Amino acid sequence: MATSVWKGMISFGLVSIPIRLYAAARTKRTYLHQIHKVCNTRVKQPLFCPTCNRIVERSEIVKGYEYESGQYVFIESDEIKKITPPSGKIMEILTFVEQDSVDPIYFDSSYLAVPEEHAEKPYSLLIKALNDTKKMGVAKITMHQREYTVFIRTRNNGLTIHTMYYANEISEVQEYGKDYDIKLKPDEVKLADQLVESLSAPFRPEAYRDEFQERLNELIEAKLKGKTVAVAPKPGKAPVIDMMEALKRSLAAHGASPRKAAAGQKERSRRKAG
């Protein structure tokens, strides 16, 4: 059974909703350990004190901040509890924003909010209000010894919480978003649009998978059975050709001629308009 990572209340106005948070997604990977090849023993990183010259127990560990080289100020667990703000137990919604007004780059970790027993009605009320207004809440929450700003949005008839990257955590690259002042030919734009349309399909997350992890697991299974694994195919380098020719060949490779793609695009536009 999943373990909740936070318990408290969502609060907006005079409405309070007791909830539990669960991690919405976790990376699933096959991890390779470091092995001492002389004796086939897994290399570990124990808690070793070089002054006492011995391994120490976790009960002997205290948190400390190094304010100067080799000088620490120690912080006890009870002291951390005393400075935890109200958002440690109450996730108060500070404002509501339009769903499409937030760039996805600000989304960090995701959590599923589940109502406590007898809190289903206010939980459902918030879902209905967010759906009707097409908005999501912005709130504060303290967990894991950090205060987060979070987005609260509806998804599959439930509330999903996303922690937010702060503005100073978003990287800036000087070359990114540069205006290259390139003149694009109308025919090139038209063919590129048609290629996008010909490759478009409904999003199905189950259609995508980590092929490297699959091959790693196959390799492990094969080595356990004393077998070999086929080498992954390497794509050939695409020849450098005229952009218009490349777009036309790409369309043809996906079974759409420029005329057929254009007709399909017009039909989709007609259906949307109808």
Side-chain angles (χ1 to χ4, degrees), residues 61-78:
I61 302 299
V62 64
K63 295 184 186 300
Y65 172 76
E66 187 175 23
Y67 61 93
E68 288 182 9
S69 179
Q71 299 297 313
Y72 301 90
V73 56
F74 300 109
I75 308 294
E76 300 290 344
S77 297
D78 289 343

Side-chain angles (χ1 to χ4, degrees), residues 26 28 44 49 62 84 124 195 210 269:
R26 284 191 173 93
K28 294 184 178 180
K44 298 183 179 180
C49 176
V62 64
T84 300
S124 299
L195 179 58
D210 185 338
S269 300

Side-chain angles (χ1 to χ4, degrees), residues 107-201:
F107 285 20
D108 185 8
S109 299
S110 302
Y111 298 89
L112 304 177
V114 177
E116 296 284 15
E117 193 175 359
H118 306 306
E120 295 86 354
K121 186 171 183 178
Y123 182 86
S124 299
L125 177 64
L126 180 55
I127 290 174
K128 184 70 166 67
L130 292 177
N131 283 335
D132 288 349
T133 59
K134 292 182 171 50
K135 293 183 183 294
M136 59 184 179
V138 180
K140 290 276 192 177
I141 178 177
T142 296
M143 59 180 178
H144 308 146
Q145 297 180 17
R146 181 182 176 185
E147 186 173 52
Y148 297 88
T149 298
V150 298
F151 301 109
I152 304 172
R153 71 179 183 92
T154 61
R155 173 181 165 274
N156 294 343
N157 200 38
L159 294 176
T160 299
I161 313 292
H162 303 279
T163 55
M164 185 189 94
Y165 282 117
Y166 289 106
N168 65 328
E169 295 176 318
I170 304 299
S171 299
E172 291 187 9
V173 178
Q174 188 175 0
E175 295 82 3
Y176 180 78
K178 179 181 176 182
D179 184 358
Y180 294 101
D181 193 27
I182 293 177
K183 304 260 186 227
L184 297 173
K185 297 177 182 177
D187 287 345
E188 292 174 341
V189 174
K190 183 178 179 181
L191 282 176
D193 290 348
Q194 291 173 6
L195 179 58
V196 170
E197 287 293 338
S198 70
L199 291 171
S200 296

Side-chain angles (χ1 to χ4, degrees), residues 34-43:
Q34 297 184 77
I35 308 297
H36 185 198
K37 65 180 181 180
V38 173
C39 59
N40 294 338
T41 302
R42 180 179 169 184
V43 178

Side-chain angles (χ1 to χ4, degrees), residues 6-20:
W6 189 87
K7 288 180 67 174
M9 292 189 295
I10 293 178
S11 171
F12 68 109
L14 298 177
V15 179
S16 295
I17 312 167
I19 63 158
R20 285 164 285 138

